[in-house]
Amino acid sequence: MLPAVTHWTTQNAVRPTDVYAALRGSWVGTLEYRDYSDNKRYRIATMLRVSVAKDGSGVTMRFVYDDGPEKIEQSKQTVAVDFAAKTYTVTPEGESARSYTIDAASRVQADGTGRLVLKGEAQENDKPVVVRYTLDIGKDTLRMTRTTGPTIGKTEFRNEYRFTRVR
């Protein structure tokens, strides 16, 4: 459970670099996802390594998935946060950037821990959907939950990462 946090405003001096520092490091956990082909949920072991760009402009997230015997998958994305513009931008390797709006429900402490609630749009099964993405960043825990649907009030579980920091 995350401690009570304050709203991220400029007067609280929360900076993107605080969030990046809170995310930095090695994480181990799982990815649970809903497979649309059978509408079942599956869980796979996942590792995450987060490094901060030398210029402090964002983070690189490298995921490693254990998807069965001798089937290791990897992915990489960069993330940049801009509190002034209220944007959270994700750029998967080899793809175009996707920007999400940081919702007013977000609460981040000065040390970068807390909750970021993001809203955006995407395509799933060749149809437009709205996306609600929630990041819960703790000292030693990280949970990233994505729901999607036709409207923000009608989103359903899509996937969730649950990580514990490796010390």
Side-chain angles (χ1 to χ4, degrees):
M1 185 74 171
L2 292 172
V5 292
T6 59
H7 192 286
W8 59 264
T9 60
T10 52
Q11 69 244 33
N12 289 331
V14 176
R15 302 165 304 195
T17 52
D18 299 322
V19 174
Y20 304 154
L23 291 170
R24 181 181 53 229
S26 296
W27 303 84
V28 64
T30 59
L31 164 62
E32 181 178 353
Y33 65 94
R34 182 172 54 124
D35 189 322
Y36 287 125
S37 65
D38 59 10
N39 208 32
K40 291 183 181 177
R41 289 189 185 193
Y42 295 91
R43 185 175 292 155
I44 59 175
T46 306
M47 293 180 290
L48 170 62
R49 173 81 178 136
V50 180
S51 57
V52 179
K54 289 181 183 180
D55 65 359
S57 63
V59 294
T60 298
M61 302 176 109
R62 299 177 198 287
F63 295 87
V64 178
Y65 307 92
D66 184 350
D67 200 16
E70 299 182 34
K71 189 175 179 191
I72 303 295
E73 302 288 337
Q74 297 185 42
S75 68
K76 179 174 122 178
Q77 64 187 27
T78 58
V79 173
V81 178
D82 184 337
F83 286 124
K86 296 184 181 179
T87 59
Y88 182 99
T89 303
V90 178
T91 308
E93 187 173 46
E95 296 181 32
S96 299
R98 298 178 196 138
S99 286
Y100 299 90
T101 301
I102 299 174
D103 188 88
S106 299
R107 301 286 185 268
V108 180
Q109 297 183 115
D111 66 359
T113 61
R115 171 174 279 187
L116 283 172
V117 179
L118 314 170
K119 293 180 183 177
E121 297 176 353
Q123 291 279 322
E124 285 185 355
N125 298 322
D126 298 320
K127 294 179 183 172
V129 294
V130 295
V131 177
R132 181 176 173 93
Y133 195 59
T134 305
L135 284 84
D136 289 307
I137 307 166
K139 296 272 186 212
D140 293 315
T141 59
L142 174 60
R143 185 174 67 210
M144 301 182 290
T145 307
R146 178 183 167 110
T147 62
T148 62
T151 64
I152 205 68
K154 294 188 178 195
T155 60
E156 296 179 345
F157 177 86
R158 179 66 178 117
N159 62 47
E160 181 174 77
Y161 291 92
R162 287 182 177 259
F163 292 110
T164 302
R165 187 180 300 279
V166 176
R167 295 268 178 203

